[in-house]
């Protein structure tokens, strides 16, 4: 019996002296009240501290890998639009492809590792780096809500300053070329989408979500509902310079919208195309002609005028603006 006890003690990871040292440390931490407490009270307090400690340790060690957390955060946003989910999955895959990252416990990843991860995943584009940072931040935020980690290490990573390139609005001759092609019979179903982008500042992705009943021809306005809007907020835009289609369609944009829009641009002589240039054209000519930046803000669907002043509105002459709106 004695030999068996000694053998068990030898296999135990701590000795009796170690255990006594731990109890003494707990005693000292609990303060002077332990000296006057009876044995039962001392045992109660020590047991309470021990159980609380066990719970804390288990909580701290409970986590999942970055891979599990990343795809769980994507799943939590499954109700988003298909294009949003497609972009989200693309960036998550870029992050998880970096060697040794996917199986790292979420709780153990620090800010330095996150910064290096972003640098390796998106080495050539500040725009992609910023987007990747946003998505990585959302993964850790989701992990916090699931109690897989206590902190969001991405919060400490600086957002790089991006120098946006100025987008020059289209000139009147360029606009005339686009409209001339859209007036041809083979592009008849593209005339309305082109005008909505050019004279209402509607995004291409919003145009393809519009339904005919979103356009009120009697009131001469178009309603961009939340299901169509990029930002999820609705807005109402006056119909200026818009021609009502002679033929009624089930949708505003044709089914083969992306291919037809590209073909129209190429037929008008545009070998290269700046994304959102029609929206920028609308904003610049609107600001120069109507001189109402707050009205423009509402029609563009922006939260404030800052983005308009710094990014969208390029100075054009009032004469050019008047020619743009005179159709």
């Amino acid at each position: 019996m004695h030999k068996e006890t000694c053998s068990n003690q030898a296999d135990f990871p701590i000795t009796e002296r170690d255990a006594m040292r731990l109890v003494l440390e707990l005693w000292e931490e609990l303060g002077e009240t332990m000296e006057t407490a009876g044995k039962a009270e001392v045992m109660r307090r020590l047991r309470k501290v021990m159980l609380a400690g066990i719970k804390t340790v288990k909580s701290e060690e409970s986590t999942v890998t970055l891979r599990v957390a990343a795809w769980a955060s994507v799943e939590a946003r499954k109700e988003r639009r298909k294009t949003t989910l497609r972009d989200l999955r693309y960036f998550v895959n870029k992050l998880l492809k970096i060697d040794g990252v996917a199986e790292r416990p979420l709780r153990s990843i620090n800010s330095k590792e996150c910064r290096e991860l972003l640098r390796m995943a998106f080495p050539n584009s500040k725009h992609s780096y910023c987007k990747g940072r946003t998505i990585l931040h959302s993964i850790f935020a989701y992990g916090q809500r699931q109690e897989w980690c206590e902190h969001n290490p991405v919060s400490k990573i600086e957002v790089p300053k991006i120098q946006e390139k100025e987008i020059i609005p289209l000139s009147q001759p360029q606009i005339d070329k686009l409209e001339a092609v859209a007036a041809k019979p083979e592009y008849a179903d593209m005339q309305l989408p082109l005008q909505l982008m050019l004279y209402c500042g509607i995004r291409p992705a919003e145009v393809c979500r519009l339904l005919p009943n979103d356009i009120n021809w009697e009131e001469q306005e178009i309603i961009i509902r939340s299901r169509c809007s990029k930002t999820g907020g609705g807005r109402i835009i006056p119909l200026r310079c818009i021609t009502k289609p002679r033929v009624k369609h089930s949708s505003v944009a044709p089914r083969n919208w992306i291919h037809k829009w590209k073909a129209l641009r190429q037929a008008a002589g545009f070998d290269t195309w700046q994304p959102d240039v029609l929206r920028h054209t609308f904003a610049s000519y609107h600001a120069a002609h109507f001189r109402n930046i707050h009205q423009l803000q509402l029609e563009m669907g922006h939260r404030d005028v800052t983005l308009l002043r710094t990014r969208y509105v390029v100075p054009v002459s009032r004469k050019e603006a008047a020619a743009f709106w005179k159709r």
Side-chain angles (χ1 to χ4, degrees), residues 299-318:
E299 292 183 25
M300 294 281 283
H302 290 174
R303 293 181 181 178
D304 55 50
V305 299
T306 304
L307 191 60
L308 286 175
R309 295 183 185 278
T310 61
R311 173 78 173 137
Y312 276 89
V313 175
V314 174
V316 295
S317 70
R318 299 194 74 170

Side-chain angles (χ1 to χ4, degrees), residues 179-180 182-183 187-200 212 215-217 220-222 238-249 252 325-327:
E179 294 194 311
Y187 291 104
D189 53 359
M190 285 298 298
Q191 189 171 37
L192 179 58
L194 172 63
Q195 291 177 351
L196 290 175
M197 290 187 290
L198 188 57
Y199 298 108
C200 294
I215 304 176
N216 189 331
W217 294 105
Q220 283 292 289
E221 62 185 22
I222 182 168
L239 291 177
R240 309 180 186 95
C241 311
I242 306 294
T243 304
K244 185 177 181 179
R246 294 179 182 178
V247 181
K248 211 170 185 181
H249 298 281
V252 172
W325 293 107
K326 189 177 180 179
R327 292 183 74 253

Side-chain angles (χ1 to χ4, degrees), residues 74 77 79-91 131 135 209 229-230:
V74 173
R77 287 177 276 189
E79 301 302 325
R80 301 285 182 91
R81 293 193 180 103
K82 290 182 179 179
T83 52
T84 302
L85 289 174
R86 182 190 62 207
D87 290 344
L88 188 56
R89 292 188 185 103
Y90 169 80
F91 278 90
K131 182 71 173 178
I135 290 173
R209 299 183 194 122
S229 174
K230 175 185 175 182

Side-chain angles (χ1 to χ4, degrees), residues 172 175 198-199 241 281-282 285 320-327:
Q172 195 58 53
I175 294 169
L198 188 57
Y199 298 108
C241 311
T281 299
F282 165 80
Y285 286 121
E320 291 175 308
F324 175 83
W325 293 107
K326 189 177 180 179
R327 292 183 74 253

Side-chain angles (χ1 to χ4, degrees), residues 8 95 107 119 124 188 203 284 289 296 313 324:
N8 289 342
L95 290 166
R107 195 183 297 276
R119 187 191 66 79
N124 302 318
R203 301 175 179 92
S284 295
H289 185 69
L296 177 58
V313 175
F324 175 83

Side-chain angles (χ1 to χ4, degrees), residues 12-24:
F12 205 67
I14 62 173
T15 64
E16 291 180 358
R17 179 173 294 183
D18 294 330
M20 290 175 65
R21 186 178 294 114
L22 288 173
V23 171
L24 182 60

Side-chain angles (χ1 to χ4, degrees), residues 39-262:
K39 180 179 178 180
E41 178 61 16
V42 169
M43 292 298 293
R44 188 191 68 80
R45 292 188 185 181
L46 290 176
R47 186 174 291 107
K48 183 178 180 180
V49 170
M50 180 183 68
L51 293 175
I54 291 172
K55 184 178 180 180
T56 300
V57 169
K58 284 184 176 180
S59 175
E60 290 177 350
E61 293 178 350
S62 174
T63 189
V64 296
T65 63
L66 177 61
R67 184 195 304 279
V68 171
W71 291 121
S73 70
V74 173
E75 179 64 19
R77 287 177 276 189
K78 64 183 179 181
E79 301 302 325
R80 301 285 182 91
R81 293 193 180 103
K82 290 182 179 179
T83 52
T84 302
L85 289 174
R86 182 190 62 207
D87 290 344
L88 188 56
R89 292 188 185 103
Y90 169 80
F91 278 90
V92 166
N93 276 317
K94 291 281 285 186
L95 290 166
L96 296 179
K97 280 183 180 178
I98 303 302
D99 288 342
V101 167
E103 303 309 319
R104 290 273 285 116
L106 192 70
R107 195 183 297 276
S108 66
I109 300 175
N110 57 38
S111 297
K112 183 178 179 181
E113 290 174 298
C114 289
R115 189 177 288 107
E116 181 65 11
L117 169 59
L118 291 169
R119 187 191 66 79
M120 294 177 69
F122 312 105
N124 302 318
S125 170
K126 284 187 177 181
H127 283 281
S128 294
Y129 182 99
C130 289
K131 182 71 173 178
R133 181 194 176 281
T134 299
I135 290 173
L136 189 59
H137 186 281
S138 71
I139 292 171
F140 278 94
Y142 181 80
Q144 282 182 290
R145 293 194 294 273
Q146 304 303 313
E147 298 185 352
W148 294 335
C149 59
E150 288 84 20
H151 310 288
N152 192 328
V154 186
S155 300
K156 296 182 180 180
I157 299 176
E158 316 77 19
V159 180
K161 188 175 181 180
I162 298 175
Q163 187 66 39
E164 299 281 1
K165 291 182 180 179
E166 185 177 70
I167 297 179
I168 305 299
L170 296 183
S171 65
Q172 195 58 53
Q174 290 175 313
I175 294 169
D176 291 341
K177 287 180 181 179
L178 285 170
E179 294 194 311
V181 174
K184 294 180 178 181
E186 60 266 38
Y187 291 104
D189 53 359
M190 285 298 298
Q191 189 171 37
L192 179 58
L194 172 63
Q195 291 177 351
L196 290 175
M197 290 187 290
L198 188 57
Y199 298 108
C200 294
I202 301 174
R203 301 175 179 92
E206 294 174 335
V207 170
C208 70
R209 299 183 194 122
L210 289 172
L211 297 175
N213 60 8
D214 292 327
I215 304 176
N216 189 331
W217 294 105
E218 291 183 6
E219 298 292 336
Q220 283 292 289
E221 62 185 22
I222 182 168
I223 303 173
I224 309 299
R225 305 181 193 279
S226 58
R227 60 171 166 77
C228 300
S229 174
K230 175 185 175 182
T231 59
R235 63 189 193 274
I236 298 176
I237 309 170
L239 291 177
R240 309 180 186 95
C241 311
I242 306 294
T243 304
K244 185 177 181 179
R246 294 179 182 178
V247 181
K248 211 170 185 181
H249 298 281
S250 59
S251 61
V252 172
R255 289 183 180 179
N256 52 348
W257 151 257
I258 295 177
H259 299 294
K260 270 213 161 183
W261 176 218
K262 184 177 180 180

